Amino acid sequence: MSTIARDPSPYTAPDRYVDRKRYLWMLSVVWPAAPLIGLYLVSVTGWSVFYAFTLVVWYAVIPAMDVLFGNDPNNPPEAAVARLEADRYYRILTYLTVPVHYASLIVSAWWVVTKPMSWWEVVALALSLGIVNGLALNTGHELGHKKEAFDRWMAKIVLAVVGYGHFFIEHNKGHHRDVATPEDPATSRMGESIYKFSLREIPGAFKRAWNLEKVRLERLNKGIWSLDNEIIPPLLITIVLYTSLLLAFGPDPKLLVFLPIQIAFGWWQLTSANYIEHYGLLREKMADGRYERAQPRHSWNSNHIASNLILFHLQRHSDHHAHPTRSYQSLRDFEGLPELPSGYPGMFFMALIPPVFRSVMDRRVVGWADGDLGKIQIDGARRKKIERKFGAASHRPTRAAAE
């Protein structure tokens, strides 16, 4: 499958290329404040339905806007990438996002303690906050791939909002190495539900991160239980943050329910992203037993403009795996990539209903593999059913082996 960058016309020369989304990227900074917007609407209208404001926007409004506005034709030429990377405006936007996540958490926690709320209202606000603070992982993802020490510390600080500091290690050193192989707990298998996947992905991610740090520190003759372990500093920030919230607002019963729910649903956002980003895809083994190099075709891509604008281009995932340190404004779309039918919000909702998700995605996975089930990662428990539906695996040589 060829992957040719789409024509960035009419701005083909690097000195003429214009990022027409330049100021729209501010939406990625505003989006983490969505729960605060919901609280404001509750305060001025008295309508408690606005506690679910973020949920409705995420799962309904943004998918509708993806349909309305369609795909993004704006694609930077390779020659313009260096200039885009040097533009500090884009990096500053990611920095500004970090305090917004903290503000949303702190203000929401204060609201739960000080305002009369029913239990369903507490849960609705917790889920709304969980969505945007789960996307703190997206900010941490963007900053964590950078080489500058300040950026990497900002990544750890924002990841601490939902207690997922190990993502900094797990994703960069584990997932990018093992993506689209059976060794990757963050790659889902065809036929595997998101619920089954989560039982493998969540503990597997922490275990892989811890083992990676253990090996690194052993080489340096340093102990695993020290601040040299890059998992521990963001974990300590999380402990200080949540202890401070409880000391400041008191161990209110509603707060004790609110905080764990928003953390858990925040983790669920990363699980949802991992679930859809490489569903069923498999790098083929070469004759020497190694896997072929990860290529853009080993990630599901989404070029929907509306959802990309609030996610720092996370959905141009194929180019991200091809160029992990490349910043969001420089990521490109390609012809011939495996494409998701919707942006991440729509796909996240679809994943909650496994029969619907499989009915949409399984045929796409089979098409990606040119009908050869032997080139797909398949959930063992559903293999026979999938083979009855799509045909048994072919015994033709794999592409990687043939090459």
Side-chain angles (χ1 to χ4, degrees):
M1 184 181 296
S2 63
T3 53
I4 303 171
R6 287 179 178 161
D7 183 6
S9 61
Y11 305 103
T12 55
D15 58 341
R16 293 179 56 203
Y17 174 76
V18 174
D19 180 7
R20 287 170 284 183
K21 304 190 295 288
R22 180 179 178 87
Y23 298 108
L24 291 175
W25 289 120
M26 292 181 185
L27 292 172
S28 287
V29 182
V30 174
W31 174 242
L36 303 184
I37 297 172
L39 294 181
Y40 172 75
L41 293 172
V42 170
S43 69
V44 298
T45 66
W47 297 352
S48 59
V49 68
F50 286 115
Y51 285 119
F53 172 78
T54 307
L55 288 168
V56 173
V57 173
W58 179 249
Y59 286 123
V61 176
I62 299 299
M65 292 178 69
D66 276 338
V67 173
L68 179 63
F69 294 109
N71 286 340
D72 181 6
N74 196 35
N75 214 31
E78 184 65 28
V81 168
R83 175 168 56 84
L84 289 169
E85 293 287 318
D87 190 335
R88 293 294 294 176
Y89 163 80
Y90 295 101
R91 191 71 59 87
I92 288 170
L93 292 184
T94 59
Y95 298 157
L96 293 175
T97 307
V98 176
V100 178
H101 283 290
Y102 276 82
S104 287
L105 171 62
I106 294 168
V107 172
S108 296
W110 168 80
W111 186 282
V112 167
V113 172
T114 60
K115 305 295 182 181
M117 298 178 70
S118 67
W119 281 107
W120 85 261
E121 292 169 344
V122 171
V123 171
L125 180 58
L127 295 177
S128 291
L129 182 64
I131 286 177
V132 298
N133 276 349
L135 296 178
L137 293 158
N138 183 41
T139 304
H141 172 261
E142 178 66 26
L143 291 168
H145 273 293
K146 302 301 176 282
K147 298 178 180 179
E148 295 84 350
F150 179 79
D151 291 43
R152 295 165 75 86
W153 262 107
M154 290 292 278
K156 294 175 184 178
I157 291 169
V158 75
L159 291 171
V161 172
V162 284
Y164 218 95
H166 59 281
F167 176 80
F168 178 80
I169 298 298
E170 194 285 324
H171 178 82
N172 293 10
K173 298 180 180 179
H175 175 62
H176 273 264
R177 179 193 65 192
D178 299 331
V179 63
T181 72
E183 284 73 33
D184 184 26
T187 294
S188 60
R189 298 159 184 162
M190 180 179 172
E192 185 178 33
S193 75
I194 190 172
Y195 307 104
K196 182 178 181 179
F197 170 69
S198 68
L199 299 177
R200 179 168 62 87
E201 181 252 359
I202 294 174
F206 184 82
K207 181 179 179 180
R208 178 164 62 182
W210 191 263
N211 288 338
L212 284 167
E213 277 299 272
K214 183 179 180 181
V215 170
R216 182 183 71 84
L217 291 169
E218 284 176 350
R219 288 200 304 264
L220 299 173
N221 293 317
K222 294 182 177 180
I224 188 70
W225 293 103
S226 71
L227 292 178
D228 293 310
N229 181 343
E230 293 198 83
I231 296 172
I232 291 180
L235 177 60
L236 292 176
I237 296 172
T238 298
I239 293 171
V240 170
L241 172 63
Y242 281 86
T243 300
S244 298
L245 289 174
L246 292 174
L247 290 175
F249 302 133
D252 184 276
K254 289 180 180 177
L255 187 63
L256 294 175
V257 171
F258 172 81
L259 291 176
I261 290 176
Q262 65 88 25
I263 287 178
F265 205 52
W267 285 30
W268 188 257
Q269 304 316 301
L270 176 63
T271 294
S272 299
N274 282 335
Y275 180 71
I276 68 171
E277 284 171 347
H278 309 280
Y279 178 77
L281 304 184
L282 177 65
R283 285 154 56 193
E284 297 171 6
K285 270 194 174 181
M286 300 181 291
D288 61 3
R290 294 181 301 169
Y291 288 100
E292 64 175 313
R293 184 176 179 179
Q295 301 173 35
R297 67 181 302 272
H298 295 120
S299 301
W300 290 100
N301 211 54
S302 174
N303 197 35
H304 294 83
I305 187 169
S307 46
N308 262 318
L309 283 172
I310 64 170
L311 293 174
F312 285 128
H313 250 166
L314 176 65
Q315 301 175 153
R316 284 190 172 180
H317 206 62
S318 297
D319 199 29
H320 165 67
H321 270 273
H323 304 93
T325 61
R326 181 168 286 179
S327 299
Y328 65 93
Q329 70 273 15
S330 305
L331 293 175
R332 300 159 302 160
D333 185 40
F334 294 89
E335 296 283 359
L337 289 175
E339 290 278 348
L340 293 171
S342 180
Y344 280 21
M347 295 306 300
F348 284 14
F349 184 77
M350 197 182 301
L352 296 174
I353 312 169
V356 174
F357 184 85
R358 286 194 287 260
S359 70
V360 171
M361 288 301 299
D362 284 5
R363 57 186 176 85
R364 284 178 165 83
V365 178
V366 173
W368 171 87
D370 299 325
D372 187 351
L373 300 190
K375 298 177 181 178
I376 298 171
Q377 285 202 69
I378 299 176
D379 180 30
R382 294 186 61 84
R383 176 173 287 278
K384 289 184 179 179
K385 186 172 183 178
I386 288 171
E387 288 181 346
R388 285 196 299 269
K389 183 174 182 179
F390 294 105
S394 167
H395 296 289
R396 292 175 294 171
T398 66
R399 277 187 292 269
E403 291 170 0

